[in-house]
Amino acid sequence: KDWPSEYITNIAMSDTRRRVKVYTLNEDRQWDDRGTGHVSSAYVERLKGISLLVRAESDGSLLLESKISPNTAYQKQQDTLIVWSEAENYDLALSFQEKAGCDEIWEKICQVQGKDPALEITQDPIDESEEERFDEMPETSHLAELPPCELARLEEIADLVTSVLSSPIRREKLALALMSEGYIKKLLQLFRACEDLDNREGLHHLYEIVRGVLFLNKAALFEVMFSDDCIMDVVGCLEYDPALVQPKRHREFLTKTAKFKEVIPITDSELRQKIHQTYRVQYIQDIILPTPSVFEENFLSTLTSFIFFNKVEIVSMLQEDEKFLTEVFAQLTDEATEDSKRRELVNFFKEFCAFSQTLQPQNRDAFFKTLANLGILPALEIVMGMDDLQVRAAATDIFSYLVEFSPSLVREFVMQEPQQADDDVLLINVVIKQMICDSDPELGGAVQLMGLLRTLIDPENMLAPTNKTEKTEFLSFFYKYCMHVLTAPLLANTAEEPNERDNFQTAQLLSLILELLTFCVEHHTYHIKNYIMNKDLLRRVLVLMNSKHTFLALCALRFMRRIIGLKDEYYNRYIIKGNLFEPVINALLDNGTRYNLLNSAIIELFEFIKEDIKSLIAHIVDNFYKALESIEYVQTFKGLKGRYEQEKDRQTQRLSRSASSCFIIINVNV
């Protein structure tokens, strides 16, 4: 590859040590992935200085060009991260694949700035509002002097830590002092001494100190505080909130109640350590610390970033361990696997997928493609059909992640199934049956599954240029193999006997099915039209106009309204031939003079017809006007009669003109 001549690259681009992801911090203080590439340092003539360059590994395009400024504060975090700010509210991060690459670039940055690479931060940024004041002070005042780390000085240390939180420059100075003197570990030794002595006053001071140190918002301090040998003591300090009569028992929860379950043994000790650390740090952020709104905005932004990059690393490490994931899938689908074990495996995948939601789109795509290649969909097909409610619920959540990621991926899988499976065990039919059999009185699971089905049958996301026939093929598949499963409860509950349709839970289920069928009417045209006419489906749906549940009657009416809204004469002739307005008009008459939602919806239907659907106007007036003419609180039906009479007059005039023309022609011929 020939790079532009202005760059004199001094580091090989192909070295995997230099493989990085470029991140920028967005307005919501979340890291956005700008791409993956290789980093190098080079002199850039245009910028007049040594710069960091990142070129995309996909096409060599420039992802980052950043001059190493002598005054920019660069921070090295977690061995594989370099973070800095280029301008106000514009933070950048390089996440390295390998520690060695991070060390090399860090040394180059320190070389340009004349700093010791052993430091975790190259500069001490000066807050503009304080710069003048600090310039006037003696040089020694720039140093943060820490009291000796002794029991007798804990109150003084606590006062110092809390006093600097309002000043960015003093926070920076204190953070540097804490790092350079190994102060954190000395404080934690005092914590253990205070607990042994039951020194509550000292423990309360240590709570203020540790909380204040967390609010310094420094990654280098987090590295120390969240290390294996320190984190539980940090949690211990945070148990002794002076505002509480008794200390919390966070350590007891983390060590005894919260159990780390290895569904398959994790042999990578670094991965296991990272999982433990991330869980505990997340616990500190979510459970122990107060909500961020109580404090200065973005006080703990670095803590959020610390957790974010940990999660990215965990997902990447698990994703790359194909042996581990293959074993998980094998046990998940093995009939010999015990129910309790299978429950743990499904919950692991659910949590794994939830973790992946923190990733940027490119990373998330790679993650789900890996799961698809390993066979996540056949595995879900098995576990979603199991009797265990917890397993089915977790499997549904995983399925929802997959549908959200790529409906086409799911559709492609299910269309390959009929060649090798019975209709009953097709994945989509398993989903439909789970929706139909939801035991929750509120049908929470059924609502979720209905939303997933709607996504799968939505033609709007079937426009992938790689497969132009996807819409036709999938809809043909769905109506051939799945639609009869979806409509089975509807047909069963609209037979001559009322069956269970007056049961509230059944009525809710039927309303969900009708909602999906109404969606089909709007979006599928050809396929749903054939199905409705072949099954005489509208007649069966309109039986529900008699339901004691108004919401179900409204769903049935809405279904008919969508059909009529298409102004399709095939539908109109079907409605006329079947006399399908009768149940609607009966419902209107039975409703009497009550002004309610059902009344308004029926009136709106006839108002729509009155506009210009001539065939339906004639049918309604010819067959039902006597029953409707007494309704005078709206002018709808008189208007229908008026339109009917106008159309008859026009037809009469047209016939008269035709007859006159014929008479003239006959006379002329004579």
Side-chain angles (χ1 to χ4, degrees):
K1 178 86 176 180
D2 293 325
W3 305 116
S5 57
E6 65 176 302
Y7 299 110
I8 308 170
T9 307
N10 61 9
I11 295 169
M13 297 290 290
S14 60
D15 192 340
T16 58
R17 291 177 303 173
R18 298 301 181 80
R19 190 168 185 267
V20 296
K21 287 188 179 295
V22 180
Y23 292 93
T24 57
L25 199 64
N26 63 28
E27 293 178 355
D28 298 323
R29 308 302 292 176
Q30 299 294 318
W31 289 101
D32 290 335
D33 187 342
R34 296 303 183 190
T36 302
H38 290 85
V39 63
S40 64
S41 61
Y43 183 83
V44 179
E45 182 65 33
R46 183 171 52 81
L47 298 178
K48 304 295 183 187
I50 299 293
S51 304
L52 297 177
L53 311 172
V54 180
R55 289 195 175 275
E57 64 180 2
S58 57
D59 58 8
S61 60
L62 197 62
L63 296 177
L64 176 69
E65 180 184 68
S66 173
K67 180 182 176 181
I68 302 174
S69 169
N71 299 318
T72 297
Y74 293 85
Q75 291 185 56
K76 186 181 174 189
Q77 303 177 9
Q78 296 174 255
D79 290 333
T80 56
L81 280 174
I82 296 176
V83 181
W84 72 98
S85 298
E86 292 226 326
E88 187 175 358
N89 297 324
Y90 187 65
D91 293 348
L92 288 154
L94 293 180
S95 176
F96 288 77
Q97 181 173 318
E98 297 182 17
K99 178 180 182 298
C102 184
D103 291 342
E104 288 178 10
I105 292 298
W106 182 250
E107 286 177 11
K108 174 58 69 174
I109 292 169
C110 292
Q111 179 187 335
V112 172
Q113 293 196 339
K115 300 293 181 180
D116 181 358
L119 294 174
E120 298 290 329
I121 183 169
T122 64
Q123 298 286 329
D124 178 23
I126 302 293
D127 184 83
E128 288 181 9
S129 64
E130 301 186 0
E131 191 168 356
E132 272 188 41
R133 181 162 55 82
F134 270 83
D135 283 344
E136 295 169 1
M137 294 181 180
E139 186 64 27
T140 54
S141 66
H142 283 236
L143 301 174
E145 293 187 11
L146 290 166
C149 195
E150 300 170 356
L151 282 175
R153 309 294 289 271
L154 283 176
E155 183 175 4
E156 186 181 344
I157 298 168
D159 290 342
L160 172 64
V161 172
T162 53
S163 69
V164 306
L165 294 179
S166 60
S167 166
I169 182 61
R170 293 174 67 195
R171 288 205 306 269
E172 294 286 346
K173 294 299 181 186
L174 179 59
L176 283 172
L178 288 168
M179 287 184 283
S180 62
E181 298 183 21
Y183 210 79
I184 300 295
K185 292 191 176 182
K186 295 176 185 176
L187 284 169
L188 296 178
Q189 287 174 358
L190 287 183
F191 164 72
R192 290 192 288 273
C194 285
E195 265 206 323
D196 290 342
L197 298 168
D198 196 23
N199 181 346
R200 286 303 174 94
E201 184 180 358
L203 290 168
H204 288 162
H205 289 319
L206 281 161
Y207 169 87
E208 299 290 353
I209 293 166
V210 169
R211 191 184 68 160
V213 172
L214 286 172
F215 289 155
L216 293 177
N217 206 22
K218 294 298 165 191
L221 290 174
F222 294 161
E223 289 290 342
V224 177
M225 298 173 79
F226 301 149
S227 62
D228 281 352
D229 54 344
C230 292
I231 190 166
M232 296 310 291
D233 287 333
V234 168
V235 172
C237 290
L238 294 170
E239 291 178 352
Y240 290 94
D241 185 346
L244 301 175
V245 177
Q246 291 295 327
K248 294 284 187 179
R249 295 184 175 181
H250 297 302
R251 285 172 295 174
E252 183 179 324
F253 175 82
L254 288 172
T255 56
K256 296 179 181 178
T257 307
K259 296 296 184 184
F260 176 57
K261 294 181 179 179
E262 294 184 73
V263 290
I264 303 291
I266 295 175
T267 55
D268 188 334
S269 59
E270 182 185 353
L271 173 58
R272 192 186 302 109
Q273 184 273 335
K274 189 70 68 176
I275 292 171
H276 283 305
Q277 184 189 61
T278 305
Y279 176 78
R280 290 165 180 170
V281 176
Q282 189 89 59
Y283 183 87
I284 290 172
Q285 184 184 52
D286 294 345
I287 306 299
I288 300 179
L289 294 176
T291 52
S293 58
V294 178
F295 298 94
E296 183 179 329
E297 187 180 6
N298 301 325
F299 233 6
L300 292 170
S301 59
T302 305
L303 184 63
T304 302
S305 298
F306 185 96
I307 295 168
F308 170 82
F309 286 114
N310 264 18
K311 287 183 176 180
V312 170
E313 197 168 344
I314 289 169
V315 173
S316 298
M317 292 169 80
L318 283 170
Q319 187 178 326
E320 290 165 7
D321 191 346
E322 287 198 16
K323 184 179 178 182
F324 174 82
L325 289 178
T326 302
E327 180 62 24
V328 173
F329 276 110
Q331 291 201 26
L332 185 63
T333 55
D334 187 347
E335 292 182 3
T337 302
E338 293 182 3
D339 290 346
S340 58
K341 179 70 171 179
R342 184 174 282 108
R343 193 177 303 124
E344 290 176 1
L345 290 163
V346 174
N347 284 328
F348 161 77
F349 266 119
K350 176 184 171 182
E351 193 169 349
F352 195 21
C353 291
F355 250 40
S356 74
Q357 299 308 293
T358 64
L359 302 178
Q360 294 301 311
Q362 303 97 312
N363 307 81
R364 200 156 57 241
D365 287 357
F367 168 79
F368 281 113
K369 283 173 183 173
T370 299
L371 291 188
N373 292 336
L374 288 168
I376 185 68
L377 286 166
L380 283 179
E381 191 171 58
I382 293 171
V383 296
M384 287 183 79
M386 291 180 174
D387 295 332
D388 190 312
L389 291 177
Q390 289 185 351
V391 168
R392 290 212 313 257
T396 300
D397 289 337
I398 297 168
F399 183 66
S400 70
Y401 286 125
L402 287 163
V403 172
E404 181 183 342
F405 160 65
S406 174
S408 291
L409 179 73
V410 178
R411 286 192 287 261
E412 183 180 353
F413 169 76
V414 299
M415 281 192 290
Q416 295 169 354
E417 292 186 284
Q419 306 163 12
Q420 55 204 4
D422 296 331
D423 288 4
D424 287 347
V425 295
L426 293 176
L427 178 58
I428 290 194
N429 286 345
V430 170
V431 171
I432 293 172
K433 286 177 182 176
Q434 191 167 327
M435 171 181 134
I436 291 169
C437 299
D438 187 6
S439 58
D440 177 8
E442 299 298 322
L443 294 185
V447 171
Q448 180 187 10
L449 290 166
M450 191 273 287
L452 297 175
L453 286 169
R454 183 160 63 181
T455 300
L456 288 173
I457 64 175
D458 186 354
E460 291 298 315
N461 59 50
M462 296 183 196
L463 304 176
T466 54
N467 185 2
K468 299 188 187 312
T469 62
E470 181 184 15
K471 177 179 175 180
T472 303
E473 289 178 356
F474 180 75
L475 290 181
S476 296
F477 161 85
F478 181 78
Y479 280 86
K480 181 177 181 181
Y481 294 105
C482 307
M483 184 57 102
H484 67 281
V485 181
L486 177 65
T487 56
L490 177 65
L491 297 176
N493 283 281
T494 53
E496 292 185 8
E497 295 298 322
N499 290 337
E500 299 179 359
R501 67 172 175 261
D502 284 338
N503 172 278
F504 179 73
Q505 192 167 346
T506 302
Q508 278 190 303
L509 174 62
L510 295 177
S511 72
L512 286 178
I513 294 170
L514 277 174
E515 188 177 334
L516 207 54
L517 291 173
T518 303
F519 178 85
C520 293
V521 168
E522 290 181 283
H523 295 89
H524 293 174
T525 56
Y526 167 76
H527 291 88
I528 189 66
K529 185 194 299 184
N530 284 345
Y531 192 85
I532 288 172
M533 293 185 178
N534 289 336
K535 299 292 183 183
D536 198 11
L537 189 63
L538 180 56
R539 179 186 305 281
R540 301 297 286 272
V541 168
L542 290 174
V543 169
L544 301 175
M545 292 296 297
N546 295 323
S547 173
K548 70 176 185 180
H549 301 287
T550 304
F551 70 86
L552 184 56
L554 285 167
C555 285
L557 184 65
R558 191 180 303 117
F559 181 70
M560 185 180 193
R561 173 66 176 81
R562 290 292 184 275
I563 290 174
I564 291 173
L566 296 175
K567 298 183 179 179
D568 185 321
E569 278 304 310
Y570 283 101
Y571 274 131
N572 293 344
R573 286 195 292 271
Y574 162 67
I575 291 169
I576 292 168
K577 184 178 179 182
N579 195 31
L580 298 181
F581 275 107
E582 185 175 22
V584 177
I585 290 170
N586 287 342
L588 176 66
L589 297 175
D590 290 344
N591 191 63
T593 57
R594 283 172 292 182
Y595 183 62
N596 52 24
L597 197 55
L598 181 63
N599 175 277
S600 298
I602 294 175
I603 296 296
E604 189 279 332
L605 171 66
F606 287 111
E607 283 285 348
F608 178 79
I609 293 168
K610 185 180 74 174
E611 294 303 314
D612 64 352
I613 306 180
K614 298 180 181 63
S615 58
L616 296 184
I617 292 173
H619 172 70
I620 293 164
V621 173
D622 285 341
N623 292 277
F624 302 105
Y625 188 70
K626 286 185 179 179
L628 297 171
E629 65 180 340
S630 62
I631 298 177
E632 297 183 341
Y633 57 86
V634 289
Q635 298 302 305
T636 304
F637 302 106
K638 284 185 169 52
L640 274 172
K641 182 69 180 295
R643 294 299 295 267
Y644 173 77
E645 298 293 349
Q646 287 176 8
E647 184 60 26
K648 281 190 72 173
D649 288 345
R650 274 197 293 270
Q651 289 179 2
T652 302
Q653 290 172 10
R654 198 177 299 119
L655 288 170
S656 297
R657 284 196 298 271
S658 298
S660 299
S661 299
C662 289
F663 180 74
I664 292 168
I665 291 168
I666 291 167
N667 283 337
V668 168
N669 289 336
V670 171

